[in-house]
Amino acid sequence: MHVIGTAGHVDHGKSALVRALTGTDPDRWIEEKLRGMTLDLGFAHLRYDDGVEAGIVDVPGHERFLHNMLAGAAGMELLLLVVAANEGVRPQTLEHLAILDFLNVRRTIVVITKRDLVDDEALATTRAEIAGAIRGTFAADARAFAVSTLTGEGIEELRAAIHDALVALPPRAESAPAFLPIDRVFALSGHGTIVTGTLMQGALHAGDTLRLDPLGRDVRVRSLQVFGASRNAVTGGARAAVNVPGVDVAELHRGAVLHDAAFAPAASLRVRFRALADAVALLRRRTPVRTYLGAAEILGTLVFDAQPPIDGEPVEATLHLRRATVVYAGEAFVVRAVSPKVLLGGGTTGALLAAPTEEMPAPEVAAVAQALASSGLRPLSAAELAAAANLREERAAELAGTLVANGAARRLHKPVLYLDATAADTLSRRIFEVLARREAEAPWMLGTTSLALARELGVDEPFLVRFLAADAEDGRIGARAGYYATPAHQPRLTAEQQEFFERAVAIDPAQPFVPSALDDVVAAVRTTRIAGLSQAFDTLVATGALVKVGGDVYRGSQITEIRRRLEDAVRRNGPVTMARFRDAIGTTRKYAVPLMEWFDATGVTVRDGDLRTLRQR
Ligand SMILES: Nc1nc2c(ncn2[C@@H]2O[C@H](COP(=O)(O)OP(=O)(O)OP(=O)(O)O)[C@@H](O)[C@H]2O)c(=O)[nH]1
Ligand SMILES: [Mg+2]
């Protein structure tokens, strides 16, 4: 079996294409459905009458969710590079191409979607643009198919081409030790914990005993499934769901690895690294990086043997990771800068290093490290460090910076203070555990507030807020709308909650842009006895799945479409009056007025007398 992956810019029709090919909607979350946008990886099963089959991994196109795209990218062998005919090549088309260039794609098919929206001339322009974008890349010789999921045009030809490409793919290394990077963890009632991922190599059998890292625990495979069908064995290239009894969901996260015990975790890896030509200016001899290995994102430092590369030629380097992980020899990886998260390059792993290669600390460094260690969780300023280590303040700050770069200290901001990494790591781990447990208890919540965390951990809240900010910046946890969560946490409503909101905020097909009254939704939330409804409502609003406008509630997908029509109207005929806006979306003044004011307030439009224009970005 093989894995097909999608890639391409946001809204270019990747998920619609997967649905047209397989009948499965890869957007699993209600938040995705209400918003009409993919946030996390989606999965579907492609089958042909002659028995050829493949798993499809559908990725989000929005740059904010690039970390999720990266978690699914390593397993892809056949790439469907999706470009909308009416928009052509956009930033994430190119970014996804650049990322996949470092990974394991063997073959690419270009899919030009939304064929129904353009004439032949515009299609030819898009074709030419794509040809330019893939020239000189791994996708250079890809064939292009123009399709429409709306009319069905081109879908059968594409299906046939995918079939032929699948048959031509070389098999995965079956005699290699099994290696399954975990991209999803969930509990199935009556069965316990299930982990899923793309089996990169080797084979798995029901009854096997395997190692789960970073837990370092041996687990027995109780049962195996491939897209809902039980199997006694699965081989490389399959999307496998593995039932691992005796492991709690809260202990496991995306990025863990299930493998033959042939691999040992290592925190330092020898690598062959190739820089993106555009990124060489950002590289230092020691460059802090976010490393993407398998389904994991791990912070670390890339240390070049000699000077940092000056071009795209491969060089030797060592990758020091904040936490140990298992890799197989020759495993492909990608790195991004820590902040802003620019793609820097990628490469393949070589030997694992048993002992760290860091130089021994000089006495001054040791004095600063000692001062931090004895202060525990009380952060120190450069001035306090200077006094404790008998140094000038600038020198203390410089050495503390070195410790931060080495991963031996943590820096908090506003004001700048330093913490011992061991004490900080312990607190980070405790925070992570609390977050994971609460997410398991109430998965519909965006996360946990700093106040609740401070109470539970017995830590001073103002300190915790700054500590959490640093954790969030490093990618150890996620932070949004005042809630903290584990990085892969995606709030998930229960089936009951989901049904409730689909009913409470329904769309009338005859009047697709009419909202629901907020009062009605709130009253229904109050009188319905489903647990966690009001928290679930907050989650949907905070994530944009639902949008409050005046006294009304819209689905995010309604707002997106209304905005598109508004922008179209302005582009076509210039500034709009309230009446023209109302006509463009076919509702009444009652709804048009608050909507228009909401667009003014959120910076989409600018008011000038009775007219609205679009705010220039
Ligand atoms: N007219 C037309 N619209 C399409 C076609 N394919 C997709 N769309 C529409 O384009 C919008 C985006 O489609 P999606 O499939 O969600 O796009 P996506 O690439 O998965 O988006 P992200 O996952 O958020 O990056 C939806 O409103 C689709 O209905 C097509 O062939 N023709
Ligand atoms: Mg999508």
Side-chain angles (χ1 to χ4, degrees):
M1 221 170 145
H2 296 284
V3 168
I4 300 173
T6 64
H9 198 73
V10 63
D11 227 26
H12 276 199
K14 297 176 289 298
S15 302
L17 177 69
V18 171
R19 192 168 47 196
L21 289 169
T22 65
T24 303
D25 182 357
D27 287 343
R28 300 172 280 147
W29 314 108
I30 183 172
E31 193 185 339
E32 297 180 313
K33 290 189 201 293
L34 293 179
R35 240 166 77 165
M37 179 193 277
T38 304
L39 312 180
D40 198 359
L41 300 174
F43 306 96
H45 190 194
L46 180 63
R47 255 169 309 189
Y48 292 88
D49 292 341
D50 64 357
V52 170
E53 58 176 350
I56 304 189
V57 176
D58 181 44
V59 305
H62 197 290
E63 59 180 326
R64 238 192 83 205
F65 306 109
L66 193 70
H67 58 287
N68 289 336
M69 179 273 173
L70 280 155
M76 298 177 179
E77 297 170 271
L78 172 58
L79 173 66
L80 302 180
L81 181 65
V82 171
V83 182
N86 58 335
E87 290 201 1
V89 172
R90 300 293 305 276
Q92 269 63 50
T93 321
L94 298 173
E95 186 166 38
H96 288 187
L97 259 180
I99 286 169
L100 291 160
D101 192 29
F102 294 108
L103 301 177
N104 306 305
V105 172
R106 304 282 193 141
R107 227 174 148 126
T108 304
I109 295 177
V110 170
V111 186
I112 303 173
T113 53
K114 312 198 185 186
R115 168 69 184 97
D116 55 290
L117 292 183
V118 299
D119 56 20
D120 291 349
E121 196 182 324
L123 179 63
T125 308
T126 297
R127 278 188 193 278
E129 207 177 270
I130 298 170
I134 61 179
R135 193 168 301 135
T137 73
F138 68 95
D141 56 0
R143 287 175 65 197
F145 292 81
V147 306
S148 165
T149 54
L150 207 68
T151 65
E153 179 182 345
I155 296 290
E156 278 319 305
E157 292 89 321
L158 174 63
R159 261 181 81 86
I162 293 173
H163 177 279
D164 295 346
L166 285 173
V167 173
L169 281 177
R172 298 252 191 164
E174 213 177 298
S175 52
F179 194 96
L180 183 91
I182 293 170
D183 51 34
R184 250 188 329 159
V185 181
F186 55 90
L188 198 62
S189 66
H191 295 269
T193 299
I194 312 284
V195 298
T196 73
T198 300
L199 185 58
M200 297 299 285
Q201 56 176 37
L204 297 177
H205 306 88
D208 279 354
T209 296
L210 297 170
R211 175 86 35 92
L212 245 185
D213 271 310
L215 291 188
R217 206 183 299 165
D218 285 339
V219 294
R220 211 178 65 83
V221 174
R222 184 190 279 158
S223 63
L224 284 170
Q225 286 201 341
V226 175
F227 288 106
S230 290
R231 307 268 170 116
N232 286 323
V234 277
T235 53
R239 288 282 320 161
V242 187
N243 183 347
V244 286
V247 183
D248 200 81
V249 260
E251 298 178 275
L252 264 184
H253 297 279
R254 170 173 288 175
V257 181
L258 186 65
H259 61 96
D260 279 18
F263 307 94
S268 292
L269 315 170
R270 285 295 288 168
V271 298
R272 212 170 155 68
F273 174 81
R274 188 155 57 81
L276 271 187
D278 292 348
V280 285
L282 301 172
L283 297 172
R284 303 284 173 270
R285 200 169 97 76
R286 316 175 52 91
T287 306
V289 291
R290 295 169 188 274
T291 309
Y292 299 87
L293 264 165
E297 174 182 16
I298 307 176
L299 287 165
T301 309
L302 185 61
V303 183
F304 296 104
D305 288 3
Q307 288 310 304
I310 49 166
D311 56 23
E313 287 303 308
V315 296
E316 302 294 322
T318 304
L319 192 51
H320 296 286
L321 301 174
R322 286 255 181 103
R323 71 167 175 79
T325 188
V326 284
V327 298
Y328 56 88
E331 183 170 347
F333 68 92
V334 169
V335 298
R336 290 207 282 169
V338 172
S339 167
K341 304 170 187 172
V342 187
L343 186 65
L344 296 176
T348 49
T349 62
L352 314 182
L353 299 179
T357 56
E358 301 291 288
E359 309 90 37
M360 285 299 290
E364 288 182 345
V365 184
V368 172
Q370 175 56 39
L372 286 172
S374 51
S375 185
L377 268 184
R378 197 174 68 82
L380 298 176
S381 65
E384 289 170 307
L385 276 176
N390 192 24
L391 294 168
R392 281 180 301 108
E393 185 173 332
E394 306 86 88
R395 179 68 178 148
E398 182 190 330
L399 294 174
T402 310
L403 290 173
V404 170
N406 281 333
R410 265 254 207 123
R411 190 179 353 233
L412 304 183
H413 297 284
K414 296 182 199 164
V416 171
L417 296 175
Y418 299 92
L419 265 180
D420 173 50
T422 309
D425 287 348
T426 306
L427 180 57
S428 288
R429 204 158 37 239
R430 287 174 63 209
I431 291 170
F432 194 94
E433 282 164 12
V434 172
L435 295 178
R437 200 198 64 241
R438 285 171 164 256
E439 286 158 19
E441 285 164 3
W444 54 85
M445 288 191 65
L446 269 187
T448 306
T449 61
S450 56
L451 187 63
L453 265 174
R455 286 211 182 114
E456 177 145 2
L457 295 166
V459 183
D460 173 48
E461 201 211 357
F463 161 71
L464 188 64
V465 167
R466 295 172 54 236
F467 188 86
L468 290 166
D471 255 4
E473 191 187 310
D474 286 354
R476 283 191 199 85
I477 59 171
R480 62 175 165 174
Y483 291 91
Y484 300 90
T486 62
H489 176 60
Q490 196 63 59
R492 193 177 348 158
L493 272 57
T494 63
E496 267 185 323
Q497 292 169 342
Q498 183 159 335
E499 274 163 33
F500 171 85
F501 285 108
E502 271 167 10
R503 234 177 313 112
V505 191
I507 297 184
D508 175 357
Q511 298 171 291
F513 301 129
V514 169
S516 309
L518 180 58
D519 285 347
D520 294 349
V521 179
V522 171
V525 166
R526 290 233 175 85
T527 53
T528 311
R529 301 172 69 93
I530 297 176
L533 268 190
S534 73
Q535 294 164 337
F537 183 60
D538 289 346
T539 297
L540 294 174
V541 171
T543 57
L546 296 179
V547 181
K548 284 195 232 175
V549 177
D552 299 315
V553 186
Y554 289 84
R555 292 190 178 198
S557 59
Q558 288 178 301
I559 293 288
T560 307
E561 185 56 26
I562 291 170
R563 177 172 173 177
R564 204 182 60 73
R565 291 191 177 213
L566 168 65
E567 289 173 346
D568 263 11
V570 176
R571 279 201 204 99
R572 216 166 289 154
N573 302 312
V576 290
T577 57
M578 189 63 74
R580 283 254 322 285
F581 170 60
R582 185 198 60 205
D583 294 344
I585 60 170
T587 57
T588 59
R589 239 189 110 71
K590 173 178 160 203
Y591 299 120
V593 171
L595 270 172
M596 203 72 246
E597 283 166 0
W598 186 81
F599 282 125
D600 289 343
T602 52
V604 174
T605 47
V606 187
R607 180 170 189 169
D608 178 12
D610 287 341
L611 294 175
R612 255 76 173 201
T613 49
L614 299 181
R615 184 180 290 272
Q616 298 306 323
R617 296 266 199 108

mmCIF file of all heavy atoms in Angstrom, residues 9-16 27 36-38 59-62 113-117 147-150, ligand 1:
data_model
loop_
_atom_site.group_PDB
_atom_site.id
_atom_site.type_symbol
_atom_site.label_atom_id
_atom_site.label_comp_id
_atom_site.label_asym_id
_atom_site.label_seq_id
_atom_site.Cartn_x
_atom_site.Cartn_y
_atom_site.Cartn_z
ATOM 1 N N HIS A 9 -2.173 25.663 -1.748
ATOM 2 C CA HIS A 9 -2.604 26.860 -1.031
ATOM 3 C C HIS A 9 -3.997 26.690 -0.415
ATOM 4 O O HIS A 9 -4.790 25.880 -0.886
ATOM 5 C CB HIS A 9 -2.597 28.043 -1.999
ATOM 6 C CG HIS A 9 -2.591 29.372 -1.319
ATOM 7 N ND1 HIS A 9 -1.477 29.866 -0.680
ATOM 8 C CD2 HIS A 9 -3.563 30.308 -1.167
ATOM 9 C CE1 HIS A 9 -1.761 31.057 -0.176
ATOM 10 N NE2 HIS A 9 -3.027 31.348 -0.452
ATOM 11 N N VAL A 10 -4.267 27.494 0.619
ATOM 12 C CA VAL A 10 -5.552 27.426 1.310
ATOM 13 C C VAL A 10 -6.701 27.656 0.323
ATOM 14 O O VAL A 10 -6.592 28.485 -0.587
ATOM 15 C CB VAL A 10 -5.595 28.447 2.471
ATOM 16 C CG1 VAL A 10 -5.475 29.879 1.970
ATOM 17 C CG2 VAL A 10 -6.841 28.285 3.315
ATOM 18 N N ASP A 11 -7.752 26.841 0.483
ATOM 19 C CA ASP A 11 -8.983 27.046 -0.286
ATOM 20 C C ASP A 11 -8.875 26.655 -1.758
ATOM 21 O O ASP A 11 -9.763 26.976 -2.535
ATOM 22 C CB ASP A 11 -9.385 28.534 -0.208
ATOM 23 C CG ASP A 11 -10.856 28.676 0.103
ATOM 24 O OD1 ASP A 11 -11.400 27.748 0.706
ATOM 25 O OD2 ASP A 11 -11.448 29.699 -0.275
ATOM 26 N N HIS A 12 -7.812 25.976 -2.154
ATOM 27 C CA HIS A 12 -7.675 25.624 -3.567
ATOM 28 C C HIS A 12 -8.417 24.343 -3.949
ATOM 29 O O HIS A 12 -8.376 23.926 -5.095
ATOM 30 C CB HIS A 12 -6.189 25.553 -3.959
ATOM 31 C CG HIS A 12 -5.633 26.909 -4.297
ATOM 32 N ND1 HIS A 12 -4.498 27.113 -5.020
ATOM 33 C CD2 HIS A 12 -6.107 28.142 -3.989
ATOM 34 C CE1 HIS A 12 -4.284 28.417 -5.168
ATOM 35 N NE2 HIS A 12 -5.241 29.062 -4.539
ATOM 36 N N GLY A 13 -9.081 23.718 -2.951
ATOM 37 C CA GLY A 13 -9.935 22.585 -3.304
ATOM 38 C C GLY A 13 -9.329 21.218 -3.022
ATOM 39 O O GLY A 13 -9.771 20.221 -3.590
ATOM 40 N N LYS A 14 -8.359 21.153 -2.093
ATOM 41 C CA LYS A 14 -7.728 19.866 -1.762
ATOM 42 C C LYS A 14 -8.739 18.901 -1.152
ATOM 43 O O LYS A 14 -8.860 17.751 -1.580
ATOM 44 C CB LYS A 14 -6.562 20.080 -0.770
ATOM 45 C CG LYS A 14 -5.435 20.921 -1.328
ATOM 46 C CD LYS A 14 -4.350 21.182 -0.300
ATOM 47 C CE LYS A 14 -4.773 22.135 0.803
ATOM 48 N NZ LYS A 14 -5.129 23.489 0.337
ATOM 49 N N SER A 15 -9.462 19.385 -0.133
ATOM 50 C CA SER A 15 -10.389 18.484 0.562
ATOM 51 C C SER A 15 -11.561 18.097 -0.333
ATOM 52 O O SER A 15 -12.008 16.946 -0.319
ATOM 53 C CB SER A 15 -10.913 19.151 1.842
ATOM 54 O OG SER A 15 -9.835 19.489 2.690
ATOM 55 N N ALA A 16 -12.031 19.040 -1.136
ATOM 56 C CA ALA A 16 -13.130 18.724 -2.060
ATOM 57 C C ALA A 16 -12.676 17.657 -3.050
ATOM 58 O O ALA A 16 -13.437 16.762 -3.425
ATOM 59 C CB ALA A 16 -13.565 19.994 -2.798
ATOM 60 N N ASP A 27 -12.338 16.512 6.157
ATOM 61 C CA ASP A 27 -12.451 17.483 7.246
ATOM 62 C C ASP A 27 -13.293 16.862 8.351
ATOM 63 O O ASP A 27 -14.508 16.784 8.256
ATOM 64 C CB ASP A 27 -13.067 18.795 6.737
ATOM 65 C CG ASP A 27 -12.076 19.570 5.884
ATOM 66 O OD1 ASP A 27 -10.864 19.282 5.960
ATOM 67 O OD2 ASP A 27 -12.512 20.465 5.147
ATOM 68 N N GLY A 36 -15.388 25.756 6.926
ATOM 69 C CA GLY A 36 -15.060 25.475 5.529
ATOM 70 C C GLY A 36 -13.575 25.538 5.278
ATOM 71 O O GLY A 36 -13.129 25.935 4.212
ATOM 72 N N MET A 37 -12.769 25.167 6.274
ATOM 73 C CA MET A 37 -11.324 25.229 6.116
ATOM 74 C C MET A 37 -10.695 24.056 6.867
ATOM 75 O O MET A 37 -11.157 23.689 7.943
ATOM 76 C CB MET A 37 -10.815 26.540 6.719
ATOM 77 C CG MET A 37 -9.314 26.715 6.629
ATOM 78 S SD MET A 37 -8.723 28.065 7.669
ATOM 79 C CE MET A 37 -9.036 29.443 6.609
ATOM 80 N N THR A 38 -9.663 23.451 6.280
ATOM 81 C CA THR A 38 -8.988 22.355 6.962
ATOM 82 C C THR A 38 -8.000 22.921 7.983
ATOM 83 O O THR A 38 -7.256 23.848 7.674
ATOM 84 C CB THR A 38 -8.232 21.487 5.944
ATOM 85 O OG1 THR A 38 -9.160 21.045 4.955
ATOM 86 C CG2 THR A 38 -7.609 20.276 6.616
ATOM 87 N N VAL A 59 -3.967 17.726 3.747
ATOM 88 C CA VAL A 59 -3.331 18.691 4.647
ATOM 89 C C VAL A 59 -4.036 20.041 4.587
ATOM 90 O O VAL A 59 -4.689 20.364 3.596
ATOM 91 C CB VAL A 59 -1.839 18.881 4.294
ATOM 92 C CG1 VAL A 59 -1.111 17.550 4.279
ATOM 93 C CG2 VAL A 59 -1.672 19.607 2.974
ATOM 94 N N PRO A 60 -3.901 20.842 5.653
ATOM 95 C CA PRO A 60 -4.430 22.203 5.597
ATOM 96 C C PRO A 60 -3.524 23.085 4.741
ATOM 97 O O PRO A 60 -2.305 22.922 4.752
ATOM 98 C CB PRO A 60 -4.398 22.660 7.061
ATOM 99 C CG PRO A 60 -3.404 21.788 7.741
ATOM 100 C CD PRO A 60 -3.313 20.513 6.954
ATOM 101 N N GLY A 61 -4.124 24.012 4.022
ATOM 102 C CA GLY A 61 -3.329 24.912 3.197
ATOM 103 C C GLY A 61 -2.966 26.201 3.914
ATOM 104 O O GLY A 61 -2.004 26.867 3.543
ATOM 105 N N HIS A 62 -3.737 26.554 4.954
ATOM 106 C CA HIS A 62 -3.481 27.829 5.620
ATOM 107 C C HIS A 62 -2.137 27.803 6.325
ATOM 108 O O HIS A 62 -1.809 26.844 7.019
ATOM 109 C CB HIS A 62 -4.592 28.105 6.635
ATOM 110 C CG HIS A 62 -4.628 29.549 7.064
ATOM 111 N ND1 HIS A 62 -3.653 30.105 7.856
ATOM 112 C CD2 HIS A 62 -5.497 30.544 6.790
ATOM 113 C CE1 HIS A 62 -3.930 31.384 8.057
ATOM 114 N NE2 HIS A 62 -5.054 31.670 7.414
ATOM 115 N N THR A 113 -7.670 22.534 -9.987
ATOM 116 C CA THR A 113 -9.060 22.404 -9.557
ATOM 117 C C THR A 113 -9.877 23.617 -10.000
ATOM 118 O O THR A 113 -9.342 24.604 -10.485
ATOM 119 C CB THR A 113 -9.138 22.306 -8.022
ATOM 120 O OG1 THR A 113 -8.425 23.425 -7.497
ATOM 121 C CG2 THR A 113 -8.501 21.027 -7.517
ATOM 122 N N LYS A 114 -11.166 23.531 -9.780
ATOM 123 C CA LYS A 114 -12.097 24.636 -10.077
ATOM 124 C C LYS A 114 -12.066 25.008 -11.561
ATOM 125 O O LYS A 114 -12.191 26.177 -11.923
ATOM 126 C CB LYS A 114 -11.809 25.857 -9.191
ATOM 127 C CG LYS A 114 -11.653 25.500 -7.700
ATOM 128 C CD LYS A 114 -11.814 26.698 -6.799
ATOM 129 C CE LYS A 114 -11.519 26.330 -5.339
ATOM 130 N NZ LYS A 114 -11.776 27.379 -4.395
ATOM 131 N N ARG A 115 -11.894 23.988 -12.407
ATOM 132 C CA ARG A 115 -11.892 24.166 -13.857
ATOM 133 C C ARG A 115 -13.139 24.918 -14.323
ATOM 134 O O ARG A 115 -13.096 25.695 -15.268
ATOM 135 C CB ARG A 115 -11.839 22.771 -14.517
ATOM 136 C CG ARG A 115 -12.101 22.723 -16.004
ATOM 137 C CD ARG A 115 -10.949 23.370 -16.750
ATOM 138 N NE ARG A 115 -11.155 23.450 -18.191
ATOM 139 C CZ ARG A 115 -11.615 24.527 -18.818
ATOM 140 N NH1 ARG A 115 -11.983 25.587 -18.135
ATOM 141 N NH2 ARG A 115 -11.704 24.542 -20.142
ATOM 142 N N ASP A 116 -14.263 24.676 -13.612
ATOM 143 C CA ASP A 116 -15.530 25.300 -14.021
ATOM 144 C C ASP A 116 -15.535 26.808 -13.847
ATOM 145 O O ASP A 116 -16.395 27.493 -14.397
ATOM 146 C CB ASP A 116 -16.681 24.677 -13.210
ATOM 147 C CG ASP A 116 -16.434 24.770 -11.710
ATOM 148 O OD1 ASP A 116 -15.525 24.075 -11.199
ATOM 149 O OD2 ASP A 116 -17.114 25.555 -11.033
ATOM 150 N N LEU A 117 -14.582 27.348 -13.087
ATOM 151 C CA LEU A 117 -14.600 28.793 -12.823
ATOM 152 C C LEU A 117 -13.834 29.611 -13.857
ATOM 153 O O LEU A 117 -13.856 30.830 -13.793
ATOM 154 C CB LEU A 117 -14.019 29.084 -11.430
ATOM 155 C CG LEU A 117 -14.823 28.610 -10.220
ATOM 156 C CD1 LEU A 117 -14.145 29.045 -8.929
ATOM 157 C CD2 LEU A 117 -16.241 29.170 -10.277
ATOM 158 N N VAL A 147 -9.533 19.665 -13.364
ATOM 159 C CA VAL A 147 -10.758 18.998 -12.916
ATOM 160 C C VAL A 147 -11.723 19.999 -12.288
ATOM 161 O O VAL A 147 -11.342 21.114 -11.929
ATOM 162 C CB VAL A 147 -10.468 17.897 -11.860
ATOM 163 C CG1 VAL A 147 -9.435 16.908 -12.367
ATOM 164 C CG2 VAL A 147 -10.016 18.503 -10.541
ATOM 165 N N SER A 148 -12.947 19.557 -12.152
ATOM 166 C CA SER A 148 -13.921 20.308 -11.368
ATOM 167 C C SER A 148 -14.672 19.314 -10.495
ATOM 168 O O SER A 148 -15.242 18.349 -11.007
ATOM 169 C CB SER A 148 -14.915 21.034 -12.276
ATOM 170 O OG SER A 148 -16.030 21.448 -11.486
ATOM 171 N N THR A 149 -14.676 19.558 -9.202
ATOM 172 C CA THR A 149 -15.430 18.658 -8.330
ATOM 173 C C THR A 149 -16.906 19.017 -8.389
ATOM 174 O O THR A 149 -17.754 18.240 -7.980
ATOM 175 C CB THR A 149 -14.951 18.758 -6.867
ATOM 176 O OG1 THR A 149 -15.012 20.121 -6.462
ATOM 177 C CG2 THR A 149 -13.532 18.262 -6.746
ATOM 178 N N LEU A 150 -17.188 20.197 -8.939
ATOM 179 C CA LEU A 150 -18.574 20.635 -9.047
ATOM 180 C C LEU A 150 -19.278 19.920 -10.198
ATOM 181 O O LEU A 150 -20.377 19.392 -10.040
ATOM 182 C CB LEU A 150 -18.591 22.153 -9.275
ATOM 183 C CG LEU A 150 -19.811 22.901 -8.818
ATOM 184 C CD1 LEU A 150 -19.879 22.884 -7.291
ATOM 185 C CD2 LEU A 150 -19.744 24.348 -9.311
HETATM 186 N N1 LIG B 1 -16.550 25.988 -8.340
HETATM 187 C C1 LIG B 1 -15.795 25.090 -7.732
HETATM 188 N N2 LIG B 1 -15.568 25.220 -6.409
HETATM 189 C C2 LIG B 1 -14.784 24.300 -5.803
HETATM 190 C C3 LIG B 1 -14.190 23.241 -6.513
HETATM 191 N N3 LIG B 1 -13.444 22.523 -5.640
HETATM 192 C C4 LIG B 1 -13.585 23.125 -4.452
HETATM 193 N N4 LIG B 1 -14.386 24.196 -4.536
HETATM 194 C C5 LIG B 1 -14.779 25.111 -3.441
HETATM 195 O O1 LIG B 1 -13.640 25.757 -2.947
HETATM 196 C C6 LIG B 1 -13.737 25.949 -1.536
HETATM 197 C C7 LIG B 1 -12.535 25.371 -0.857
HETATM 198 O O2 LIG B 1 -12.486 23.969 -1.029
HETATM 199 P P1 LIG B 1 -11.722 23.018 -0.031
HETATM 200 O O3 LIG B 1 -11.724 21.679 -0.625
HETATM 201 O O4 LIG B 1 -12.205 23.172 1.351
HETATM 202 O O5 LIG B 1 -10.265 23.665 -0.139
HETATM 203 P P2 LIG B 1 -8.950 23.181 0.599
HETATM 204 O O6 LIG B 1 -7.815 23.298 -0.372
HETATM 205 O O7 LIG B 1 -9.161 21.841 1.200
HETATM 206 O O8 LIG B 1 -8.787 24.287 1.708
HETATM 207 P P3 LIG B 1 -7.842 24.188 3.020
HETATM 208 O O9 LIG B 1 -7.869 22.779 3.446
HETATM 209 O O10 LIG B 1 -8.430 25.111 4.020
HETATM 210 O O11 LIG B 1 -6.477 24.593 2.569
HETATM 211 C C8 LIG B 1 -15.031 25.272 -1.116
HETATM 212 O O12 LIG B 1 -16.023 26.259 -0.984
HETATM 213 C C9 LIG B 1 -15.324 24.339 -2.255
HETATM 214 O O13 LIG B 1 -16.706 24.087 -2.403
HETATM 215 C C10 LIG B 1 -14.456 23.130 -7.929
HETATM 216 O O14 LIG B 1 -13.980 22.244 -8.629
HETATM 217 N N5 LIG B 1 -15.252 24.077 -8.464
#
